[in-house]
Amino acid sequence: MRALYIGWKDTLRRFRDWKALAGMLAAPLLISALIGLAFGNLNDTETPISEIALAVVNHDDGELGQIYVDVLHSEDLTDLLAAENMDDLAVAQQRIREGELRAVVYIPAGFSDNLLEGAQGSDFGSHAEVQVFTDPTANISPFIVQSIVEQISNGLNSALLAGQVSALQAADYAHILQERMAGLGEAVADQLSPENFDVRESRLGLNVIQTGESGPAFDPYSFFVPGMAVFFLMFSVFDGSRSILQEQTRGTLPRLITTPTPHSQIILGKMLGTFLTGLLQFALLVLASTLLFGVNWGSSPAGVALIMVLTVFAASGLGALLTSAARNESQAGIVVSAVSLIFGALGGSFFPASNLSGIVDLASRLTVNRWAMEGFTKLTVGRAGFNEILPEAGVLALIGLVTFVLAMIGFKRRFVR
Amino acid sequence: MTQPILQAQDLHKTFGKTEAVRGISFDILPGEIFSLLGPNGAGKTTTISMLSCLLAPTQGDARIDGHSIRGQAAQVKAVIGVVPQEIALYPDMGAMENLRFWGRMYGLGGASLRQRCEELLDTVGLADRSKDKVETFSGGMKRRLNIAVGLLHKPKVLYMDEPTVGIDPQSRRRILDTVIELNRQGLTVLYTTHYMEEAAELSSRIGIVDHGQLIALGSQVELTKLVGQVDTLRIGLDPEGLEEAQLLAAVHKVKRVQRASLENGQLLVQAEGGHAALGGIVACINQAQARLLDLRVDEPNLEAVFLHLTGRALRD
Ligand SMILES: Nc1ncnc2c1ncn2[C@@H]1O[C@H](COP(=O)(O)OP(=O)(O)OP(=O)(O)O)[C@@H](O)[C@H]1O
Ligand SMILES: [Mg+2]
């Protein structure tokens, strides 16, 4: 109970401090606005990704394989895809390795027959598989091709399941699909910025296409606002955790210890203070970004709230742990600044961490930012539901719990003599 | 006989190699103002910190209102009020806001807390500044609010650790008057200072602390008796071309002189019947061809007691 008063006192003090507020709210909003403006301007310019070199190897002699060929060659996609037909899969693969092609779509022999037989039998589609071979050095284009192929397959699958398509009707279906593809290239092109897509767009491009059918346009704010919000949250929460050391040197912590308030309540109260401050900061950022930039935080308010609460929880736990281990306030300051920057860079506050691999990816997965960003981008860009962000929520909760407990122990050792 | 409200028994505190407190024992009776008088670094704050359950003693114990500082910290904290040497307030919060926060930390709340805060703001003369942030206050005002916080829960014993350091004479007077008034209302006070005038004016009994030990304890009258009818002479000399050793040797030979020291042109002499010895001392000064700048003779006081016991001045 008294911990609440201490936490609330800290929250009030922090929100009265104009300098702290600038770092907590003004800076992330300003930077998001700048990035958003940069993106806005680029949207009107040339198609950043166009004429992806692609080969279609169709060994199927039925109608269904031909649908893929038709769609990939369709007029609506000519800006986006430069598709050619080839006969030999091995040659096509070789051309990927030589850098001439970004992807090869391979439709095996007997594809239509297998698919249509399967549709009538029990093991639907078990032998019918379209394969997409991609250039491992390319970031975006393989995803785009893959997604388009997935779209065709999905459409075909659902049509088959619904019994709409027989072998005879299959040819007509190609036209329906082609219509659905209309505008897809445009939509993709709109979202991509020429400078950044190499590091950034794999996630965005993919997500845009996956959601392309229902058609919400990709909004750069929905990636950068959470990124900035998480980064500046870490920064100010970490900074706020140092206040316990400040109270130690300024004599208010010793005075607190001379009151009948139990030590555990005092320490809990201090940690609660950083938590409450961070929560309020983040909630205000969500609100402000919605009002100012029209950011759509997704369709699961409960999901956003959960990731938000747990991100702040993990950040304040970690901040407390770092502080409890620091020699003094200024050392804590250096440590927490360094950690917030490294976490921001590694954890995907500035670019999607999904591009990382190997040891860097592993390191990234140790950061609070990574899990927070995965959760938020799932919600904002991927339009995920509550259940889909539970893994991220679980990791954040675990980080928070472990760091909180360790920090409690550290502070108790340190201040109770 | 009345039971002591505070009993300190053989308190020790060691920080690494520093022995800050080396066996301090004393009792305080209810209604007393008890002062610990000692120079910088004597161990006053360390002693108060142990009595406040802020530092665990390396050895020894203390009982406050019957509760041990070792095992019953919660009970001890409920009966003590602490006014720390450093101002321990939130500068970016108002005076009233600070009081209300600290009140909550003492388990107070509601209307009674509000009333108590107003009462205390009145006591320390800050009622008209209750909404102002503490950072806008003068040093004296901050010190007064610092005291008010220690009084919130109506403690039985109030610890005041050098509450008048670094403030103007009016504020100091005001604080001393407040202490006297609180004591008149029945509050027991443990007061630390290195100003002997404060200890002399306020206290019923005084403990003199030096190098972590209590070197004397008693009422002012009892303590000054230790020195006997010895006066302290302070003589300021022009240090230029002063033959210190020679002069000091000569002064020691003057009749009635018990002690003499000379540092930076300050000649400090303790002599039985100071005025009677003055003639001889001035003669020595003339002989040494030293230039006399000023001269003062003090009757026996606490300063003299400290000098008598340690050979050093209380303040440098
Ligand atoms: N936390 C600590 N760590 C190490 N040494 C300490 C600590 N606190 C006090 N000391 C040392 O213990 C001795 C006594 O210090 P203390 O603060 O109790 O003196 P004091 O009588 O209150 O002095 P002052 O009049 O300057 O306030 C000093 O030598 C001081 O340097
Ligand atoms: Mg002190």
Side-chain angles (χ1 to χ4, degrees):
Chain A
M1 185 59 186
R2 291 188 203 171
L4 274 179
Y5 287 118
I6 297 174
W8 183 238
K9 178 258 307 169
D10 278 0
T11 308
L12 279 181
R13 290 184 68 201
R14 195 102 171 124
F15 272 85
R16 270 181 205 169
D17 179 352
W18 287 104
K19 263 189 280 175
L21 280 185
M24 285 161 64
L25 301 173
L29 289 174
L30 206 66
I31 294 179
S32 300
L34 290 175
I35 295 174
L37 281 177
F39 260 84
N41 291 340
L42 291 167
N43 278 350
D44 302 332
T45 61
E46 266 292 85
T47 305
I49 283 199
S50 61
E51 303 188 0
I52 299 166
L54 150 91
V56 188
V57 179
N58 183 13
H59 289 178
D60 182 37
D61 31 333
E63 303 278 0
L64 298 185
Q66 192 57 38
I67 290 179
Y68 287 87
V69 178
D70 290 349
V71 173
L72 291 172
H73 281 283
S74 71
E75 227 169 83
D76 294 318
L77 293 177
T78 45
D79 279 349
L80 187 63
L81 305 178
E84 58 180 296
N85 293 331
M86 286 181 71
D87 289 330
D88 192 329
L89 179 61
V91 173
Q93 284 172 322
Q94 182 57 32
R95 285 183 62 194
I96 291 183
R97 282 192 284 274
E98 283 163 6
E100 286 171 33
L101 293 177
R102 293 279 158 268
V104 171
V105 179
Y106 170 62
I107 302 141
F111 175 78
S112 293
D113 290 346
N114 282 336
L115 199 56
L116 292 168
E117 269 166 36
Q120 284 142 23
S122 56
D123 52 348
F124 172 73
S126 57
H127 304 297
E129 189 178 58
V130 176
Q131 286 177 304
V132 179
F133 300 92
T134 60
D135 177 0
T137 63
N139 274 312
I140 318 300
S141 38
F143 277 114
I144 295 177
V145 174
Q146 204 176 318
S147 304
I148 293 172
V149 172
E150 264 170 33
Q151 291 253 321
I152 303 171
S153 305
N154 287 345
L156 211 49
N157 275 339
S158 44
L160 285 167
L161 273 175
Q164 289 171 351
V165 182
S166 68
L168 291 175
Q169 293 167 315
D172 295 337
Y173 189 69
H175 299 293
I176 303 169
L177 260 179
Q178 275 173 24
E179 260 165 46
R180 281 206 202 166
M181 290 290 157
L184 181 65
E186 223 171 85
V188 171
D190 271 357
Q191 319 312 331
L192 304 177
S193 112
E195 291 134 316
N196 298 325
F197 61 74
D198 267 333
V199 284
R200 215 171 259 151
E201 296 307 330
S202 57
R203 171 199 294 268
L204 309 183
L206 186 60
N207 281 322
V208 165
I209 293 164
Q210 280 173 340
T211 58
E213 233 175 302
S214 47
F218 168 70
D219 165 17
Y221 286 116
S222 42
F223 175 75
F224 285 110
V225 168
M228 287 304 113
V230 171
F231 177 70
F232 281 92
L233 172 85
M234 298 293 284
F235 223 87
S236 57
V237 161
F238 280 7
D239 189 46
S241 336
R242 293 193 301 146
S243 79
I244 190 166
L245 298 186
Q246 197 179 62
E247 288 213 38
Q248 164 82 353
T249 49
R250 308 233 171 126
T252 42
L253 184 69
R255 181 170 228 168
L256 275 170
I257 296 174
T258 68
T259 69
T261 301
H263 301 147
S264 50
Q265 291 272 321
I266 296 172
I267 295 168
L268 195 68
K270 290 302 295 174
M271 298 209 270
L272 202 63
T274 48
F275 175 76
L276 278 179
T277 308
L279 199 60
L280 214 57
Q281 175 194 4
F282 213 113
L284 285 172
L285 284 176
V286 170
L287 192 74
S289 64
T290 310
L291 297 176
L292 293 175
F293 311 133
V295 171
N296 187 338
W297 284 83
S299 44
S300 170
V304 173
L306 184 70
I307 294 287
M308 180 170 89
V309 168
L310 291 174
T311 300
V312 178
F313 177 53
S316 37
L318 189 64
L321 182 61
L322 292 173
T323 308
S324 73
R327 195 178 295 277
N328 53 42
E329 198 190 332
S330 62
Q331 194 197 50
I334 296 166
V335 170
V336 296
S337 308
V339 170
S340 358
L341 283 171
I342 294 170
F343 270 36
L346 270 182
S349 275
F350 306 112
F351 57 84
S354 52
N355 289 348
L356 301 173
S357 61
I359 186 103
V360 187
D361 181 53
L362 200 71
S364 164
R365 281 173 197 280
L366 294 175
T367 68
V368 174
N369 303 51
R370 170 71 179 261
W371 298 101
M373 283 308 293
E374 302 240 310
F376 281 122
T377 30
K378 266 189 185 178
L379 292 162
T380 57
V381 181
R383 299 284 183 267
F386 185 78
N387 289 337
E388 290 164 73
I389 49 91
L390 289 179
E392 284 80 9
V395 174
L396 288 170
L398 192 70
I399 296 176
L401 214 60
V402 170
T403 50
F404 248 85
V405 169
L406 289 179
M408 276 293 263
I409 296 171
F411 281 135
K412 262 208 130 137
R413 282 224 184 117
R414 179 170 184 152
F415 295 123
V416 181
R417 285 172 289 189
Chain B
M1 225 200 105
T2 42
Q3 280 288 313
I5 192 160
L6 186 150
Q7 298 171 282
Q9 294 149 1
D10 196 28
L11 288 173
H12 283 74
K13 184 70 192 182
T14 311
F15 299 107
K17 283 187 193 144
T18 316
E19 288 183 82
V21 174
R22 304 185 293 164
I24 285 186
S25 307
F26 59 89
D27 289 353
I28 302 178
L29 297 174
E32 263 196 304
I33 298 181
F34 183 94
S35 288
L36 289 175
L37 174 68
N40 290 133
K44 304 181 295 290
T45 299
T46 307
T47 304
I48 291 241
S49 299
M50 286 189 279
L51 295 173
S52 320
C53 306
L54 189 55
L55 289 176
T58 314
Q59 191 188 315
D61 194 2
R63 291 192 163 268
I64 295 120
D65 203 28
H67 308 296
S68 160
I69 56 168
R70 279 186 173 278
Q72 297 167 297
Q75 290 92 322
V76 170
K77 288 171 179 181
V79 295
I80 60 166
V82 182
V83 180
Q85 182 171 352
E86 307 299 335
I87 291 160
L89 300 166
Y90 298 105
D92 49 358
M93 289 170 31
M96 181 57 133
E97 211 181 358
N98 262 287
L99 283 175
R100 287 176 67 84
F101 171 75
W102 289 106
R104 301 233 183 252
M105 294 302 108
Y106 281 107
L108 310 175
S112 64
L113 173 59
R114 173 162 284 276
Q115 196 194 333
R116 180 73 183 143
C117 293
E118 276 163 7
E119 207 174 285
L120 282 170
L121 281 172
D122 217 39
T123 307
V124 297
L126 290 171
D128 55 334
R129 299 290 301 265
S130 72
K131 287 208 172 74
D132 295 356
K133 285 187 179 173
V134 171
E135 62 198 0
T136 67
F137 286 9
S138 72
M141 292 160 79
K142 286 179 191 165
R143 289 241 162 242
R144 269 138 60 192
L145 190 62
N146 203 36
I147 294 171
V149 169
L151 292 167
L152 275 160
H153 58 306
K154 302 190 174 165
K156 290 190 179 172
V157 186
L158 183 69
Y159 302 164
M160 303 181 88
D161 195 0
E162 307 207 28
T164 60
V165 162
I167 53 174
D168 57 284
Q170 285 110 304
S171 291
R172 184 176 178 194
R173 187 64 253 159
R174 182 163 190 140
I175 288 177
L176 295 179
D177 289 343
T178 309
V179 176
I180 292 167
E181 175 56 23
L182 289 166
N183 177 250
R184 205 185 52 75
Q185 295 168 10
L187 183 69
T188 308
V189 179
L190 168 56
Y191 194 97
T192 84
T193 182
H194 60 254
Y195 298 120
M196 66 114 193
E197 315 84 35
E198 286 186 5
E201 178 185 344
L202 295 174
S203 332
S204 46
R205 286 184 309 135
I206 299 153
I208 299 182
V209 197
D210 190 39
H211 293 311
Q213 285 180 314
L214 211 56
I215 55 174
L217 194 156
S219 67
Q220 199 191 346
V221 175
E222 286 165 347
L223 288 174
T224 44
K225 267 190 196 152
L226 290 175
V227 196
Q229 261 319 302
V230 174
D231 298 327
T232 306
L233 286 77
R234 285 162 208 276
I235 302 163
L237 299 171
D238 186 353
E240 219 179 283
L242 191 62
E243 295 282 353
E244 295 201 355
Q246 215 177 324
L247 175 60
L248 208 54
V251 170
H252 269 120
K253 286 192 192 118
V254 174
K255 211 178 154 194
R256 296 169 190 267
V257 168
Q258 294 183 339
R259 279 168 176 280
S261 66
L262 181 56
E263 222 177 286
N264 301 327
Q266 269 288 329
L267 181 61
L268 214 58
V269 183
Q270 290 201 295
E272 229 182 298
H275 293 279
L278 200 54
I281 295 168
V282 172
C284 293
I285 293 170
N286 282 336
Q287 193 145 28
Q289 296 193 325
R291 215 157 71 85
L292 198 147
L293 298 178
D294 66 271
L295 188 146
R296 206 173 97 198
V297 181
D298 288 334
E299 306 264 293
N301 59 21
L302 292 170
E303 178 91 46
V305 176
F306 192 81
L307 190 67
H308 174 77
L309 293 171
T310 66
R312 288 177 291 120
L314 191 53
R315 266 179 289 163
D316 354 74

